[in-house]
């Protein structure tokens, strides 16, 4: 857009804002004032947890007809123009609605259009003023952050409702689990597909010239997006109900197969690619930003890594903190060998270069976070056993007095790294936590467990020592056999000489 066009757009934006924002705000408040008392009556005396039963009779009528109509009026007051395609099926035909892509808090409009089905929601959102009361009308499946059994209980509740034969209303789920910018479909979480019942995919599109909808971590804040949206003449949203998808027997046994097939169908209809990144990757992106790393550092395809390496999110989050300690001075969130050596407080040596090369899987001379996680998990932690730590301590402790002096420490490291001039005073002080000038076994063990990178370096040294020992043993064996043959040859020569003399 050129400068004149930009100025014209800005002027239009300001003029419409002065006119539309106050008018729309008044209309929205009026709708809320009418809706809230009705929602309070509907939910009066309704339990939030325990033996919850689906609403029936007049409560159900007020929810599905009155509150749903007021909800559509509320979005109309904000300037939304809704286009619905396809046909929504009944709860008996498809107990679960899966909606994607999920990109904004405005996506709640699909709940209004679908007749207020149940949703999956955090417990604390029920206590948000005004909107918490509206959410109670949906009788959501509640997720608790403090309950360790929450995930299991949520899955059981979804299964209970989706297998009720139409007794419960449909359950609406955003399977991506987080907001994206609608440029692709990330990995679907399996909660909607574990029950093994038919699901109806629902597509959300916002075909507007100006995107005032997308609510992502690096984008505008909630209030800013709301203001921008209210300033628009109108905002179009398309909701398309696709045909229900019935799982095969294999997909019932493996929900991930069902989830991937439904995602592929939705992506094809949307004309979008799919990616193996997940909600957990998004959480890692936020964590990376908090650690002053580029947010894309956290994109590690968490689901693949967790399955292959048997890692949980908390483990990977801790590895991100360790990675941040190394990469904090790097640009772009990638570690070069100089930063790697600086973190280990060791010089760049052939041994360290070999260890770095094991981490650097693509051989580009840097280590990204994904390579670091794989390296630490596959190479370092398996080598960081109690037996290896004890063996390392014994090798350092040359005088066997149950402590390691700085001289003993530097002597073995010089040998292990092949560096004659080595200053290890800073590393020694880091291990010697009490500042006694001697490293005890408990200090050595504590440091080794929290710094698994050293374990692979040490086991590589041990393997080389064993190799050299075997080579020397073979050489000694060859020399011994050669000596024996020489002696036998000399004996034979002496025997033949004596025979000649006798002759």
């Amino acid at each position: 857009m050129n400068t004149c066009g930009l100025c014209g757009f800005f002027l239009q934006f300001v003029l419409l804002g002065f006119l539309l924002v106050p008018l729309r705000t008044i209309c929205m408040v009026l709708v809320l004032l009418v809706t809230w008392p009705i929602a309070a009556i509907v939910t009066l005396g309704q339990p939030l947890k325990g033996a919850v039963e689906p609403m029936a009779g007049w409560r159900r009528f007020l929810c599905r007809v009155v509150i749903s109509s007021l909800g559509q009026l509320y979005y109309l007051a904000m300037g939304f123009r809704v286009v619905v395609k396809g046909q929504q099926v009944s709860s008996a035909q498809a107990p679960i609605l899966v909606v994607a892509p999920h990109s904004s808090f405005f996506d709640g409009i699909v709940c209004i259009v679908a007749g207020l089905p149940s949703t999956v929601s955090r417990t604390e959102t029920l206590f948000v003023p005004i909107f918490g009361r509206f959410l109670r009308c949906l009788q959501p499946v509640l997720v608790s952050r403090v309950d360790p059994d929450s995930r299991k209980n949520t899955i059981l509740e979804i299964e209970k409702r989706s297998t009720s034969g139409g007794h419960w209303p449909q359950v609406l789920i955003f399977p991506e689990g987080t907001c994206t910018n609608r440029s692709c479909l990330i990995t679907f979480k399996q909660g909607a597909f574990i029950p093994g019942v038919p699901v109806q995919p629902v597509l959300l599109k916002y075909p507007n010239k100006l995107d005032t909808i997308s609510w992502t971590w690096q984008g505008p804040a909630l209030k800013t997006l709301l203001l921008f949206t209210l300033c628009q003449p109108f905002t179009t949203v398309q909701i398309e109900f696709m045909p229900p998808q019935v799982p095969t027997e294999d997909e019932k046994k493996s929900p991930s197969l069902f989830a991937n097939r439904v995602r592929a169908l939705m992506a094809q209809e949307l004309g979008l690619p799919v990616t193996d990144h997940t909600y957990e990757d998004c959480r890692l992106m936020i964590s990376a930003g908090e650690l002053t790393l580029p947010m894309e550092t956290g994109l590690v395809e968490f689901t693949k890594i967790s399955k292959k390496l048997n890692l949980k999110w908390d483990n990977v989050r801790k590895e991100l903190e360790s990675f941040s300690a190394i990469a904090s001075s790097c640009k772009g969130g990638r570690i070069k060998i100089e930063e790697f050596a600086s973190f280990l407080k060791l010089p760049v040596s052939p041994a360290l270069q070999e260890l770095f090369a094991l981490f650097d899987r693509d051989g580009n001379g840097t280590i990204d976070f994904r390579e670091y996680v794989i390296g630490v998990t596959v190479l370092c932690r398996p080598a960081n056993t109690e037996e290896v730590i004890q063996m390392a301590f014994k090798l350092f402790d040359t005088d066997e007095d149950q402590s390691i002096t700085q001289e003993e420490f530097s002597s073995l490291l010089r040998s292990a790294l092949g560096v004659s001039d080595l200053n290890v005073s800073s590393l020694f002080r880091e291990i010697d936590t009490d500042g006694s000038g001697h490293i005890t076994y408990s200090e050595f063990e504590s440091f080794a467990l929290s710094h698994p990178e050293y374990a692979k370096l040490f086991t590589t040294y041990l393997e080389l020592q064993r190799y050299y020992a075997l080579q020397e043993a073979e050489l000694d064996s060859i020399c011994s056999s050669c000596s024996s043959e020489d002696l036998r040859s000399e004996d034979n020569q002496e025997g033949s000489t004596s025979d000649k003399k006798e002759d």
Side-chain angles (χ1 to χ4, degrees), residues 289-336:
E290 292 170 351
L291 293 168
T292 68
L293 291 170
M295 293 187 72
E296 59 271 17
T297 302
L299 291 173
V300 295
E301 294 185 335
F302 175 83
T303 299
K304 282 186 177 180
I305 282 187
S306 63
K307 286 179 180 177
K308 291 180 180 178
L309 304 182
N310 194 26
L311 287 174
K312 294 184 178 179
W313 189 86
D314 290 336
N315 302 124
V316 180
R317 177 64 173 79
K318 289 178 182 177
E319 300 297 0
L320 182 62
E321 292 176 357
S322 300
F323 181 83
S324 174
I326 309 174
S328 57
S329 61
C330 308
K331 292 182 179 179
R334 301 180 75 91
I335 301 170
K336 296 180 181 179

Side-chain angles (χ1 to χ4, degrees), residues 468-479:
Y468 293 144
L470 288 173
Q471 290 289 91
E472 289 178 5
E474 289 180 7
L475 185 61
D476 291 341
S477 176
I478 292 171
C479 290

Side-chain angles (χ1 to χ4, degrees), residues 396-399 401 403-414 422-432 435-440 443:
F396 277 108
D397 183 20
T398 53
D399 58 5
D401 63 348
S403 66
I404 302 170
T405 64
Q406 185 166 331
E407 184 179 350
E408 290 172 328
F409 187 70
S410 61
S411 177
L412 184 63
L413 279 181
R414 279 196 295 268
L422 179 64
N423 184 1
V424 294
S425 56
S426 59
L427 178 58
F428 184 87
R429 285 195 300 271
E430 188 174 348
I431 305 174
D432 179 24
S436 64
H438 293 79
I439 298 174
T440 63
E443 291 173 329

Side-chain angles (χ1 to χ4, degrees), residues 129-141:
I130 301 177
F131 288 98
R133 180 64 65 175
F134 299 150
L135 189 60
R136 293 187 191 188
C137 295
L138 304 179
Q139 292 189 289
V141 178

Side-chain angles (χ1 to χ4, degrees), residues 35 85 90 101 138 158 174 195 198 207 248-249 352 368 372 428 434 442 484 499:
T35 308
K85 296 181 179 181
S90 67
L138 304 179
I158 292 174
F174 294 95
T248 64
E249 290 302 318
L352 194 68
D368 61 22
Y372 179 80
F428 184 87
D434 61 3
S442 61
S484 300
D499 290 341

Side-chain angles (χ1 to χ4, degrees), residues 319-382:
E319 300 297 0
L320 182 62
E321 292 176 357
S322 300
F323 181 83
S324 174
I326 309 174
S328 57
S329 61
C330 308
K331 292 182 179 179
R334 301 180 75 91
I335 301 170
K336 296 180 181 179
I337 191 167
E338 292 80 12
E339 288 87 14
F340 193 64
S342 176
F343 172 73
L344 296 177
K345 295 179 174 63
L346 296 172
V348 177
S349 63
L352 194 68
Q353 287 172 338
E354 288 181 17
L355 177 61
F356 187 85
L358 292 174
F359 276 82
D360 182 16
R361 293 166 61 87
D362 58 7
N364 67 350
T366 61
I367 300 173
D368 61 22
F369 178 53
R370 179 185 174 84
E371 291 172 326
Y372 179 80
V373 171
I374 294 172
V376 169
T377 307
V378 175
L379 299 173
C380 299
R381 294 203 185 281

